[in-house]
Amino acid sequence: MIIIKTREEIELMRESALVVSKTLGEVAKAIKPGVSTLELDKIAEECIRDQGAIPGFLGLYDFPNTLCMSPNSQVVHGIPNSTPLEEGDIISVDCGAIKNGFYGDHAYTFAVGEIDAEIEKLLQVTKDSLYIGIAELKKGNRVGDVGFAIQKYCEDYGYGVVRELVGHGIGRKMHEDPEMPNYGKRGRGKKLVDGMVVAIEPMINLGTQRIKQHRDGWTITTLDGKPSAHFEHDVAIVDGKPELLSTFAYIYEALGITSNEEDAFRQVPLAL
C-alpha cells in the first residue's frame, strides 16, 4: 500500500533527507587515499547524531554500521572495514537517518583521487540517469515511465542496469511501496500521484547487469568484477511535479564543484 504524505509530512521528510545530505558532505571532505571506510562510518554516525537524528541503517535488518560503503565492483550494501581506500578507487556511500519519525536515504559514488576516464564516464552517466528518472516522477505518469527512462539512457551507453535491486517508497519506514525499478516499460506500473515520496537510485554496472551476493549476507558485487556506480535522491511529488528533498550541494561544496543540476526539481529554495 502506498502511503501518501501531507505537505507537513513532506517538509518533515525534507529535514530528514537534509540530515543525510549534510552527513554525505562531511564524508566527502574525508574521502582520500589511505582512509578506511570504518573511519568514514564513524564520521557519519557522529554527524547524524550531532544533528539530533538517529542513524537509519544501524541495526536495520541487523545491518552493523551507519553507512553502506561499496567500493569498485561492489554495487551496494558493502560493510565498512579497516581496508584503506586507494588512489583510483570509486566508493558508493549510502546513508540513512531518522528525524521527526521519518527516514532520509540517499547515496553518492565518489572518486578517490584520480580515476580512469572510462570509470569517470560511468559515474557521470549514472548520475545523469538519476535526474532523467526524476524528471518522469510526475502526477499521471507511472512507475514504469521512471524505470524506462533510466534503463534506456544507461543501456544506450552499453552499461548493465541491475534488476534485483530497486528504489523504493520512503516515509516512517525505510522501505515502503512502491518499488521503483531502474528498468521498465512506459505506461506500466502504479500511477504516480501527489504526496508520494520515493527514493530513486540507479545502480549501473560498467559491464554485465548480473550480480552476486556474498556470504556475509550483505555485500553485492558485479558478476564480472567490473565497477558499479550508485546515486540516490529522495523525491516527493508536489503539485504534480517532482520536488527534491535531498541534495548533493553539501558534497559539491566540499569538493569545489559548481552545478545547477538540481534547480529544475526544486520548488522550495535550498538554504545551505
Side-chain angles (χ1 to χ4, degrees):
M1 181 181 71
I2 296 173
I3 301 173
I4 301 302
K5 278 72 177 181
T6 66
R7 293 291 185 96
E8 292 76 15
E9 287 174 326
I10 288 171
E11 290 311 308
L12 291 175
M13 291 194 69
R14 191 191 303 275
E15 290 185 35
S16 304
L18 290 178
V19 168
V20 179
S21 300
K22 292 172 185 176
T23 301
L24 290 177
E26 289 303 307
V27 170
K29 296 175 185 176
I31 289 179
K32 60 183 179 181
V35 173
S36 75
T37 50
L38 265 180
E39 292 175 84
L40 298 173
D41 190 73
K42 182 179 179 182
I43 290 169
E45 181 174 356
E46 290 177 353
C47 185
I48 291 169
R49 295 192 189 280
D50 286 348
Q51 295 178 77
I54 300 169
F57 293 172
L58 184 61
L60 182 68
Y61 313 126
D62 295 324
F63 188 74
N65 291 89
T66 294
L67 297 176
C68 291
M69 305 286 283
S70 308
N72 302 320
S73 65
Q74 292 187 22
V75 182
V76 287
H77 302 163
I79 299 173
N81 58 50
S82 58
T83 303
L85 296 174
E86 297 182 2
E87 181 84 15
D89 284 344
I90 59 171
I91 179 84
S92 163
V93 182
D94 194 354
C95 182
I98 309 167
K99 189 171 185 179
N100 306 314
F102 288 97
Y103 279 89
D105 170 29
H106 72 116
Y108 192 92
T109 300
F110 294 89
V112 182
E114 296 294 323
I115 62 174
D116 290 345
E118 182 183 40
I119 300 175
E120 188 171 4
K121 182 180 177 182
L122 170 69
L123 267 58
Q124 186 63 54
V125 169
T126 304
K127 184 157 65 71
D128 289 346
S129 78
L130 170 61
Y131 293 107
I132 286 168
I134 290 171
E136 297 294 325
L137 193 83
K138 50 192 176 185
K139 183 178 178 180
N141 273 5
R142 292 185 179 271
V143 165
D145 295 317
V146 178
F148 174 85
I150 293 170
Q151 178 184 6
K152 184 178 188 309
Y153 186 76
C154 294
E155 288 185 347
D156 281 351
Y157 282 92
Y159 297 148
V161 179
V162 174
R163 301 298 201 270
E164 294 88 345
L165 304 159
V166 298
H168 51 91
I170 188 169
R172 293 190 181 274
K173 294 182 178 180
M174 173 66 77
H175 298 110
E176 296 184 354
D177 286 336
E179 289 190 343
M180 298 295 299
N182 298 305
Y183 60 92
K185 295 183 178 180
R186 287 204 175 279
R188 300 286 182 88
K190 295 180 179 179
K191 185 174 285 189
L192 305 178
V193 299
D194 273 335
M196 289 177 65
V197 183
V198 300
I200 299 177
E201 50 179 322
M203 290 157 273
I204 309 300
N205 302 340
L206 185 63
T208 180
Q209 70 186 42
R210 298 177 65 193
I211 59 173
K212 63 179 179 181
Q213 186 173 39
H214 289 241
R215 290 183 179 179
D216 62 17
W218 287 104
T219 307
I220 304 287
T221 59
T222 58
L223 193 61
D224 58 9
K226 292 184 178 180
S228 181
H230 175 216
F231 291 86
E232 178 180 19
H233 269 312
D234 295 340
V235 195
I237 301 178
V238 178
D239 293 333
K241 298 182 291 186
E243 169 71 10
L244 271 181
L245 304 184
S246 53
T247 181
F248 293 149
Y250 296 98
I251 294 171
Y252 292 162
E253 184 177 42
L255 300 181
I257 295 172
T258 301
S259 172
N260 63 355
E261 66 194 15
E262 298 179 1
D263 291 357
F265 308 111
R266 197 174 298 284
Q267 301 172 50
V268 177
L270 181 68
L272 292 180

